[in-house]
Amino acid sequence: MNTYTKIFKLTRDNFSEVIGECAEIIKKGGTVAIPTETVYGLAANALDPIAVNRIFHAKGRPADNPLIVHVASIEQLEQLVSEVPPKALSLIEAFWPGPLTLILKRTEIVPDITTGGLDTVAVRMPADIVAQELISLSGKHLAAPSANISGRPSPTTASHVLHDLEGKIDAVIDAGNTRIGVESTVIDMSREKPAILRPGYISAAKIEEIIGEVDINYNEHDTGALGVVRSPGMKYTHYSPAATVLLLEGPHDLVSNKVREMYADFTCRGARVGLLVTSNDLFSLTNDVVYLGRKDEPEEVARNLFLGLRSLDERGVNIIIADGSFTHDGVGAAVMNRLRKASEMIIKL
Ligand code: TXA
Ligand code: MG
């Protein structure tokens, strides 16, 4: 079904007006794409099954892939979960509001559709002021997965959202580029030993500084694999542009040389090749090239990753050669995770 999607461009003067109108849409059970500090999310009232169903429908998201519920206060959190274990509380004190999602045992008020039928719920308090104000003013808990068609790269601008979802959602708030560029870290705090289910902006090292050892419970190479998967979302193809992505990992100069060699090879065979790279000197090869950022600045690389994949896709390239030679520390680990999942082939040099 086609919906008219309202586009609200935030300016210095219209903040309260925009939040006011969007809060009304949320209260009526509608869907609004909103900026967060990580990526844009597609928000609706998390406790209204019909509203949540609209999210699944717009994204084409499989029903067994649960949503993150966004809150603006600890009171709102307490309505959703039956207990907050001490370690979870320590993480909340250290990282909220911010890009950390906690899996906790849920209460009865959370509908099955929101959690994919699980007895847990994913909760986070976003740091972005737009998201916070919309939650506060609407008075609702906001379910908000990334605002992309399921399986596509997450959106870091309102135009990415519109590209995927225009006509399928009620509104989008355009507040420019998101600050971080990759999604929150997801950590399961509902069991004895905490486990990171999805790497994100908050690194495992930072988490271990607060609560001690955690399990790392994700497998980057199991896209599409069957079997026991603790975070349902991790079994689906993810972050994939239409083009085939080939990822090169290894020392910077070996990767740069290999990019040149592969570029020549594929171009010779008639493919249109796009490059996603950390070296300026590869820019002489083609116009179909996007700069990921400096190899020692993973935060820069995080901001450009999804933007780069989408931009090369829009130019119509068949193959994207991605340079994975940036540092894998901190948010670099999350960027690598997304790139590996987006890739058809990983070449280690
Ligand atoms: O930064 C973010 O987290 C963004 C912004 C919009 O907040 N949201 C986001 O949502 O990335 P989404 O739906 O694209 O990813 C949520 C992930 C999925 O992998 C999902 O399977 C997992 O969290 N998840 C949600 N609820 C869960 C639960 N109860 N148990 C285990 N995993 C869960
Ligand atoms: Mg997503």
Side-chain angles (χ1 to χ4, degrees):
M1 197 181 63
N2 248 28
T3 315
Y4 172 71
T5 302
K6 275 194 174 179
I7 303 169
F8 295 99
K9 194 165 174 57
L10 264 193
T11 65
R12 216 167 278 157
D13 310 318
N14 67 2
F15 188 87
S16 338
E17 204 180 303
V18 168
I19 301 295
E21 271 199 57
C22 290
E24 288 311 310
I25 298 174
I26 293 289
K27 285 198 255 180
K28 286 184 194 133
T31 49
V32 182
I34 58 167
T36 78
E37 72 276 30
T38 55
V39 299
Y40 276 75
L42 180 57
N45 180 357
L47 304 189
D48 173 355
I50 294 169
V52 173
N53 190 44
R54 294 196 172 107
I55 295 180
F56 279 94
H57 188 73
K59 283 181 58 83
R61 183 175 175 110
D64 67 348
N65 191 1
L67 307 181
I68 297 174
V69 181
H70 297 65
V71 299
S73 67
I74 297 299
E75 292 69 49
Q76 267 191 323
L77 165 71
E78 284 168 350
Q79 291 161 354
L80 300 173
V81 305
S82 54
E83 63 162 338
V84 183
K87 282 185 180 176
L89 196 58
S90 305
L91 291 178
I92 287 172
E93 280 163 4
F95 300 114
W96 278 14
L100 182 69
T101 297
L102 304 180
I103 309 290
L104 295 163
K105 288 259 188 286
R106 67 150 155 160
T107 57
E108 305 250 293
I109 70 163
V110 188
D112 278 345
I113 186 172
T114 305
T115 66
L118 298 175
D119 62 358
T120 53
V121 61
V123 191
R124 94 173 180 98
M125 187 186 288
D128 188 280
I129 185 80
V130 177
Q132 282 180 5
E133 286 296 311
L134 186 62
I135 298 168
S136 303
L137 194 68
S138 65
K140 306 297 182 196
H141 306 77
L142 295 186
S146 50
N148 51 284
I149 294 284
S150 242
R152 299 251 314 139
S154 295
T156 57
T157 68
S159 70
H160 295 165
V161 174
L162 289 166
H163 180 276
D164 281 15
L165 299 177
E166 184 156 26
K168 298 179 171 171
I169 61 177
D170 294 309
V172 57
I173 303 179
D174 180 355
N177 288 59
T178 59
R179 178 164 59 81
I180 292 174
V182 294
E183 304 86 343
S184 63
T185 307
V186 177
I187 184 164
D188 189 348
M189 299 302 294
S190 71
R191 313 174 186 233
E192 197 72 25
K193 178 112 185 260
I196 296 182
L197 307 185
R198 178 177 75 180
Y201 184 75
I202 311 263
S203 66
K206 280 199 190 138
I207 288 172
E208 289 186 330
E209 270 174 34
I210 308 289
I211 59 168
E213 204 193 325
V214 296
D215 280 340
I216 304 283
N217 212 304
Y218 54 86
N219 178 355
E220 292 166 323
H221 305 287
D222 71 352
T223 41
L226 297 171
V228 184
V229 185
R230 272 172 71 178
S231 188
M234 301 314 268
K235 74 177 180 226
Y236 296 106
T237 309
H238 259 87
Y239 317 112
S240 305
T244 299
V245 182
L246 308 176
L247 173 62
L248 304 182
E249 291 183 31
H252 189 65
D253 37 340
L254 290 189
V255 168
S256 284
N257 288 340
K258 192 73 178 170
V259 170
R260 285 176 199 284
E261 188 188 310
M262 287 177 76
Y263 178 80
D265 200 27
F266 283 118
T267 309
C268 237
R269 289 192 265 156
R272 182 162 170 197
V273 180
L275 306 178
L276 198 55
V277 296
T278 61
S279 302
N280 286 314
D281 46 323
L282 292 168
F283 271 61
S284 53
L285 286 179
T286 172
N287 287 328
D288 293 327
V289 56
V290 172
Y291 185 53
L292 265 179
R294 286 164 290 175
K295 66 177 174 44
D296 301 324
E297 297 290 341
E299 308 229 338
E300 213 170 276
V301 176
R303 277 196 292 276
N304 292 324
L305 173 71
F306 291 138
L307 203 91
L309 289 172
R310 280 180 179 263
S311 144
L312 289 172
D313 231 10
E314 270 162 38
R315 300 177 207 193
V317 305
N318 320 109
I319 293 175
I320 296 173
I321 302 177
D323 165 354
S325 71
F326 51 83
T327 168
H328 297 180
D329 294 343
V331 69
V335 178
M336 258 345 269
N337 168 267
R338 307 302 189 268
L339 257 180
R340 285 177 181 150
K341 284 186 163 283
S343 300
E344 228 97 335
M345 198 203 280
I346 300 170
I347 299 165
K348 301 213 170 173
L349 300 169

